[in-house]
Amino acid sequence: YADLHIQVDPAMSTEQAHAIAHEVQRRLRERRPDIQDVTIHVEPFGSSPEEPNQEEVTVQLRRLTNGLRMEIHDVWAYEVDGRYYMEVHLEADGTLPLRQAHEIASSLEERARAEITHLSELAIHIEPQGRLIWASGPGVEETQVAQAVQRVINDTLNANACHQVRVLRGYEGWAVSMHCRLPGEISLAEAHRISTRLETRLQEEVPGLERVVIHTEPWEE
């Protein structure tokens, strides 16, 4: 299946635009005979689709994961200057090696970046099926939160274990997300235990956290 958007000169007649679309379809079928269904949208050059809202990008991500036969829960989308930062919990078999689980999450991230308009960043927390996180109330200023988060990371893992640490103001407090590197040969279940220990300490020691999303990934030498 192929779904294409092509832009044409706004002054072009409908007949000419249709001819171009037909030619695109013909050439695509010649080069990719395995594609059974082709949909082509013709748009005036310079036009752009209406920017999606938070609900729409969340629905898009859920549809994408359903298509990939993945189970997700707790999806959040933040709009910052017209770009979206999303967080999601992805469930997988707890016996999977962390490296394999990370490859699954990376494939989802690549598809999401390609198919969801205005997506700037997607933080994926991989966890064994059936696990959830918990929440807390509002609290202190962003810089203080970031400093407190980094202190807990340094004490629980080490100073270089986590990167892309982000602090955003949520509806009821602070939302923190990060990527943390762990040995690639450990199981997903063990990686989740480590990330849960870090999350627990963050919830206990950093006031005002609404939620914490930790994306675990293999540490490559």
Side-chain angles (χ1 to χ4, degrees):
Y1 176 78
D3 189 345
L4 308 177
H5 290 250
I6 60 175
Q7 293 187 324
V8 299
D9 188 334
M12 183 176 292
S13 68
T14 303
E15 183 178 357
Q16 289 175 309
H18 182 267
I20 291 175
H22 181 76
E23 181 64 13
V24 170
Q25 184 183 55
R26 184 187 68 79
R27 294 190 183 188
L28 181 61
R29 288 188 181 278
E30 282 183 353
R31 298 186 181 186
R32 291 292 304 274
D34 56 313
I35 297 179
Q36 301 297 316
D37 190 11
V38 179
T39 300
I40 298 178
H41 307 270
V42 181
E43 303 165 348
F45 181 79
S47 67
S48 60
E50 183 180 351
E51 293 186 3
N53 57 35
Q54 292 181 346
E55 181 179 358
E56 289 170 343
V57 296
T58 299
V59 169
Q60 285 180 282
L61 182 62
R62 288 191 179 278
R63 287 176 177 169
L64 180 58
T65 54
N66 288 340
L68 295 174
R69 296 183 179 180
M70 296 178 176
E71 294 293 332
I72 63 169
H73 62 86
D74 293 349
V75 181
W76 298 282
Y78 302 89
E79 188 273 327
V80 180
D81 296 329
R83 305 292 296 178
Y84 284 91
Y85 297 82
M86 301 189 71
E87 301 171 1
V88 62
H89 286 233
L90 171 66
E91 297 185 8
D93 184 349
T95 63
L96 286 177
L98 175 60
R99 183 174 286 106
Q100 185 177 347
H102 181 257
E103 289 173 355
I104 294 173
S106 295
S107 69
L108 171 59
E109 183 176 357
E110 290 175 5
R111 288 285 300 275
R113 287 182 180 277
E115 299 185 22
I116 300 179
T117 307
H118 304 295
L119 177 63
S120 180
E121 184 175 322
L122 174 62
I124 302 174
H125 174 76
I126 318 170
E127 59 187 24
Q129 293 174 343
R131 300 297 185 92
L132 296 171
I133 63 168
W134 57 94
S136 183
V140 296
E141 297 297 324
E142 181 176 1
T143 53
Q144 294 175 298
V145 173
Q147 292 170 356
V149 166
Q150 191 60 56
R151 284 195 297 269
V152 174
I153 292 172
N154 295 350
D155 190 42
T156 306
L157 301 176
N158 63 67
N160 298 318
C162 300
H163 62 106
Q164 290 182 243
V165 179
R166 183 179 298 278
V167 177
L168 294 171
R169 187 183 295 277
Y171 292 108
E172 299 179 359
W174 297 103
V176 175
S177 66
M178 66 193 72
H179 292 233
C180 295
R181 303 182 184 94
L182 298 172
E185 63 274 9
I186 67 174
S187 69
L188 174 59
E190 177 61 21
H192 185 258
R193 281 192 287 270
I194 294 172
S195 65
T196 298
R197 185 171 72 248
L198 174 58
E199 180 183 342
T200 300
R201 290 202 58 184
L202 287 168
Q203 294 282 1
E204 291 175 346
E205 300 180 27
V206 181
L209 293 190
E210 179 183 348
R211 59 179 167 269
V212 178
V213 176
I214 302 172
H215 171 85
T216 52
E217 57 191 20
W219 188 295
E220 302 295 348
E221 298 296 338

